[in-house]
Amino acid sequence: REPEVKKFLADAQTQLQAKFDSMMAEAKEMHAKGAFPVDPAKLMSLRMRGMTFAITKMELKKGDSGPEPELGVIMHMDFGESAEQWQSLAKMGMDLLEKKAPMKMAREESKVGDVQIVTMTAPDAPRAGAMGLNVAMLKTGMLIGTLKDQVRTVIENMQADKKVLGASANYKNTAKHLAVEGAEMEMYMRPTALMDFIMQSADIAKEMSSGAEEVDVGAMKRVMDSMGLRSLQSMGMTCSYVDGKAMWNGYVVSPAPERKPMIEGILGSSNKVLDQTFLKWVPKDAVHVGAGTLEPMAVYEGIMQAIKASGEEESKKAMAAMEAMEKQMGFSLRDDLCAALGETYAWWNLAIKIGRAHV
């Protein structure tokens, strides 16, 4: 929406429009001859009012032929008045997939209330487990997911107008610090769920995969704990337009009792206020500005603690390698680099193509 961006992309937009017009003319000719199944004029009416994407499950199981991942993904697309055209294209795509897929596809249809779900799976696919393609046609959009049970549950919750994520304590505690209402984009995640998946995967890989016996899962857990990564309960971010400018807001929930110095050094302590005197250096025509706080010494000390937590033998090797590197470079990472850096950083962009940064 920004005028500077529109001006910068004007020439490219003109060229793309000319190329698009040429492709549309060709598609119309093909449709008239029966070589293109969809009327290009109807494609022009396609719209998308919004989209939600979520990773709902990450799990690794022990299977007969090795580790079997189970990844839950849900995507909801709101097409508004063009939903019928989109759904026609989706049905055409599923029919094509059933006929042209490199392996045999099993197709099953079911309903939740008046909503139809088409499930397509590849029974012969190795380690696919319960995953497949599940597509539900809604009144104004589509719901797509990898796990059928989750797709059914989402539809049931939609029909009952029941909030799930929006009702969770972690989400509420994050969203209340962000400009959620009217946001163009919203992101939310729980880092601990990703960490649990990583540790679970390491455990199973060590048990089932040859060559992974030397993986020290205990050391990985100690390193995570020493860095305070499990204090990161949730993260959120929103993007909204304010007076024609895109404003990004982010918030991290990391309670003080569990928060380690390294995390506080990266995210900034709750009582630290950003020094905004740097704004006098920002050009008036800057189109993007960002700033934050960082405590280099706290980050360094956190890395040292993580190295020590990895185990006596591994930490000795890492410290010896670091000392050799510092000797070769002729300076100390702690005393000459981290101690010399300030605690505020800022950056800005000028018309996309020019970037400058000050620390």
Side-chain angles (χ1 to χ4, degrees), residues 121-250:
T121 56
D124 299 330
R127 304 179 185 178
M131 294 188 295
L133 175 64
N134 302 275
V135 181
M137 305 299 179
L138 308 177
K139 289 182 179 179
T140 61
M142 285 194 302
L143 184 70
I144 302 174
T146 56
L147 299 175
K148 182 179 178 181
D149 289 345
Q150 288 193 349
V151 172
R152 292 184 64 89
T153 300
V154 171
I155 295 172
E156 290 169 356
N157 290 335
M158 293 174 74
Q159 291 174 340
D161 196 22
K162 178 183 177 182
K163 292 183 179 180
V164 180
L165 174 62
S168 68
N170 262 344
Y171 174 80
K172 287 181 178 180
N173 195 25
T174 307
K176 69 182 181 182
H177 298 282
L178 300 170
V180 175
E181 292 298 325
E184 299 288 335
M185 188 201 77
E186 179 184 0
M187 183 275 288
Y188 168 81
M189 70 173 294
R190 290 192 305 113
T192 50
L194 177 60
M195 293 177 218
D196 290 340
F197 176 69
I198 292 173
M199 299 313 302
Q200 180 196 41
S201 301
D203 279 327
I204 293 179
K206 183 175 182 179
E207 183 177 345
M208 301 191 68
S209 301
S210 60
E213 296 84 358
E214 297 182 3
V215 175
D216 192 342
V217 179
M220 292 173 63
K221 292 178 180 178
R222 292 195 301 273
V223 169
M224 281 187 175
D225 291 340
S226 72
M227 297 172 71
L229 296 181
R230 289 199 170 275
S231 71
L232 302 173
Q233 293 185 359
S234 60
M235 298 179 176
M237 182 179 292
T238 58
C239 179
S240 305
Y241 277 99
V242 179
D243 297 328
K245 303 295 182 182
M247 300 294 292
W248 292 82
N249 291 285

Side-chain angles (χ1 to χ4, degrees), residues 90 148 185 214 244-245 276 282 284 341 356:
K148 182 179 178 181
M185 188 201 77
E214 297 182 3
K245 303 295 182 182
Q276 299 186 32
V282 180
K284 299 299 182 182
L341 294 174
R356 297 179 181 176

Side-chain angles (χ1 to χ4, degrees), residues 260-335:
K260 298 294 176 68
M262 180 175 177
I263 296 298
E264 193 162 284
I266 296 174
L267 300 178
S269 59
S270 57
N271 59 356
K272 180 168 289 188
V273 178
L274 178 66
D275 181 2
Q276 299 186 32
T277 56
F278 75 89
L279 288 172
K280 64 184 179 183
W281 302 106
V282 180
K284 299 299 182 182
D285 56 346
V287 296
H288 203 171
V289 180
T293 60
L294 179 72
E295 298 178 23
M297 194 63 74
V299 175
Y300 176 86
E301 296 296 344
I303 293 174
M304 293 299 102
Q305 289 296 322
I307 291 175
K308 291 178 182 178
S310 65
E312 184 176 356
E313 185 178 345
E314 293 300 323
S315 63
K316 284 182 179 179
K317 292 180 182 178
M319 294 302 293
M322 183 177 293
E323 288 174 6
M325 181 186 67
E326 289 182 332
K327 185 176 181 180
Q328 183 179 9
M329 292 189 300
F331 72 91
S332 165
L333 291 175
R334 183 186 188 282
D335 300 329

